[in-house]
Amino acid sequence: MKKIEIYFIFFLFFLLSLIIGNRLFFIQIKNGDYWQAIAKGQQLSLKESVGERGNFFLEDGKKILAKNIKKNIIYVFPEKIEDKEKTAEILEAIFNQPKEEILVELEKNQTFKKEIDDSQFQKLEEQTIKGVSGNEIQKRFYPQNSLAASLIGFVNEAGNGQYGIEGYFDDLIKGKQGFQKEQRAPLGYLTLFSSGEDDLNPPQPGSDLILTLDYNIQFFSEKILKEAKEKWDIDLGEVIVVEPTTGKIISLATFPSFNPNQYQKETDFEIFRNGAVQRLFEPGSVFKPITMAAALEEDLITPETTYEDKGYVNVGGPSIYNYGKRVWGKQSMTNVLEKSINTGAIFVEQELGGKLFLKYLEKFGFFEKTKIDLQGEEFSAN
């Protein structure tokens, strides 16, 4: 080869290097920010997500009534899968399910999802499978199952609180929406989550709540209601235990109850209602102390005041009898409460008179809402 030809080839390489170098200069140096932004736009995306919902603790701060657990969900889009046979083979090892069963699902050409554990999810992340994607979601979990269920309520599939505390404080305990940066795998089928350190407007967790409930008293209250069902076949029942000096509710139990982890299984929605605040009923003998307190306040009676019980009283209509039509004879006001004597309560109310009795009912707040922090409180205005 002649020298001139060698020089010419060398000159061509040199010229080509200058052109490439000049092009690289414009791409990497002068327009580097632009092309870097284009590349990031292809590799990164913003995903809208919601912060974790707040937890519920008992007053001791140790036992948890409601918390969040993470679930791995796999979404399969058969219409995007080109080789269903090969995909079924890959998914067989991930799902721990026979290939034939998976293939049947794929042949239906209908999108489906499966819940898998962490080890299975890790196997999936190691693969790049067209038409298959994974996501980690939050699910509400109630470790104590049915304990205080009507008080707590539940969270529906849309992530909204329903009934009880979950419903009443939904805005406070619900996590706030935000955005997270994501990095796509080379073919874009699976998503690798970023560390979150440089997220834009990251999602914020909801507030935790510490309840005034006492675990042992709540458990015992519910046990009493279950025993009442077995012994007397009750249809409904409530037990409320209040700390007198503070007004804190340390137990609020209802019957029947349900398991908020499996609320979807309930067919009668009435079971979700908290009878202690969402049903009206005649108070019965529990009203005797109220009547007695009003008369004591007015100095119309003392604990030693007596009356003669004949077993019944006529008050402008059918006779009112004691339980079991018992006749107690001469009894004190203390005896009236101890033995729950109906005629004794009527004696006290007559001492008060209708107007004064009504005045005290108003003072006790019976015609107003208690403003308890639970959903759907009902009250009687008369």
Side-chain angles (χ1 to χ4, degrees), residues 319-353:
S319 296
I320 298 175
Y321 294 88
N322 293 324
Y323 178 75
K325 293 190 175 182
R326 295 194 62 173
V327 180
W328 296 95
K330 187 177 181 180
Q331 297 291 314
S332 70
M333 296 299 100
T334 301
N335 297 144
V336 169
L337 288 180
E338 288 176 344
K339 300 172 183 177
S340 191
I341 303 174
N342 294 338
T343 61
I346 295 171
F347 166 79
V348 176
E349 192 277 334
Q350 289 177 333
E351 290 293 303
L352 278 165

Side-chain angles (χ1 to χ4, degrees), residues 1 29 39 101 128 164 196 232 258 267 282 326 330 340 342 356:
M1 183 180 290
I29 307 299
E101 293 181 7
T128 300
W232 293 299
F258 65 97
T267 56
E282 291 186 15
R326 295 194 62 173
K330 187 177 181 180
S340 191
N342 294 338
L356 192 54

Side-chain angles (χ1 to χ4, degrees), residues 180-225:
Q180 288 180 306
K181 286 183 180 179
E182 294 181 334
Q183 182 176 351
R184 292 191 182 91
L187 295 180
Y189 302 128
L190 288 177
T191 302
L192 307 176
F193 291 90
S194 70
S195 65
E197 294 177 357
D198 56 351
D199 289 339
L200 301 175
N201 187 26
Q204 300 296 321
S207 299
D208 291 338
L209 294 182
I210 299 178
L211 310 184
T212 59
L213 292 186
D214 181 287
Y215 177 85
N216 293 322
I217 298 177
Q218 179 69 26
F219 180 86
F220 188 68
S221 298
E222 296 188 10
K223 183 172 180 280
I224 289 174
L225 290 172

Side-chain angles (χ1 to χ4, degrees), residues 67-79:
K67 67 176 185 177
N68 307 298
I69 55 176
K70 296 186 184 299
K71 294 286 185 179
N72 301 312
I73 305 296
I74 300 305
Y75 300 90
V76 182
F77 307 93
E79 69 278 4

Side-chain angles (χ1 to χ4, degrees), residues 352-370:
L352 278 165
K355 289 185 179 180
L356 192 54
F357 181 57
L358 182 61
K359 176 185 174 183
Y360 271 94
L361 294 186
E362 291 173 345
K363 283 186 174 182
F364 275 116
F366 282 103
F367 305 136
E368 303 171 3
K369 287 187 176 183
T370 65

